[in-house]
Amino acid sequence: MPRYSKTLIILHWAMALLILAAWFTAEGGRQVRLNPPLLHFSLGLSVLLLVVPRLIARWWGSHPRIEDPQSPWLNVAAKIGHAVLYGFMIGLPLTGWYAASRLGVPVSFFGLPVPAIAASVQGAPGPIAELHEVGGTVILVLAGLHAVIALWHQFVLRDGTMARMNPV
Ligand code: HEM
Ligand code: HEM
């Protein structure tokens, strides 16, 4: 069974855990100004940091071809699904960073200060911040769907899909 490279497998599972942890540490609206969720910021920025080596490993390293024998359209759908997940892994931390900047909250990465990327405002942080709040949950729904499809392949179609991402 062809597998993703060790680097991609480690990054896949580490980032899945980071995204889940970022979701659990998230706070909304007023609470963020009163008591900034610094762990949420750090976990989310780790996702942004790690997506760079992940994309490099994906483009320049070896990774198995997606060859679903059921239909060529399913291959295209799988590729689009993975690309959408990458889009969220980049867009979500960036919109979160923007939201924190608009709220005027100092952002840091495990204690290291990070500059603001937008001017702060007194009132509501705006539509991009709202997009971040909704997107933060949408990525989990998409990842859940992605996991169900992977488990369907593994246990119903029995084509060994999980082995492609098996870290051991
Ligand atoms: C937030 C959580 C997750 C994200 C963002 C995510 C993202 C991705 C992405 C982008 C790929 C394409 C390969 C790559 O470039 O690394 C992938 C592949 C894969 N993922 Fe996930 N994933 C998540 C969680 C899960 C979970 C919970 C499972 C299993 C229960 C899972 C199982 C797999 C498998 C088996 C593959 C290989 C599919 C193939 O190409 O044949 N993933 N994932
Ligand atoms: C994968 C990464 C991330 C995920 C899954 C995520 C998820 C979420 C979720 C679900 C919320 C809504 C919480 C609620 O309404 O109770 C939220 C809010 C927020 N997040 Fe994130 N986030 C991520 C990255 C980041 C980063 C990197 C930053 C900042 C550097 C950040 C800053 C914020 C801020 C400021 C809010 C409040 C926005 C507002 O009140 O308008 N997030 N996040």
Side-chain angles (χ1 to χ4, degrees), residues 97-152:
W97 190 355
Y98 173 92
S101 309
R102 293 277 287 177
L103 286 163
V105 175
V107 179
S108 61
F109 178 66
F110 295 109
L112 198 79
V114 170
I117 55 168
S120 68
V121 289
Q122 286 301 317
I128 295 180
E130 278 171 34
L131 206 65
H132 175 76
E133 288 191 300
V134 177
T137 296
V138 171
I139 193 179
L140 277 203
V141 174
L142 292 179
L145 199 66
H146 161 81
V148 167
I149 296 170
L151 294 170
W152 172 269

Side-chain angles (χ1 to χ4, degrees), residues 48-72:
L48 186 61
L49 204 71
L50 290 177
V51 80
V52 178
R54 183 164 174 182
L55 282 172
I56 293 172
R58 175 96 215 188
W59 274 323
W60 279 288
S62 68
H63 57 85
R65 287 170 64 85
I66 295 177
E67 279 167 315
D68 193 321
Q70 299 174 87
S71 130

Side-chain angles (χ1 to χ4, degrees), residues 4 8 12-13 16 19 54 58 66 82 85-86 89 143 146-147 150-151 161-162 164-165:
Y4 284 87
L8 280 173
H12 175 269
W13 293 112
I19 292 167
R54 183 164 174 182
R58 175 96 215 188
I66 295 177
H82 291 168
L85 284 172
Y86 274 112
M89 286 185 268
H146 161 81
L151 294 170
T161 292
M162 288 302 293
R164 291 155 67 91
M165 257 315 161

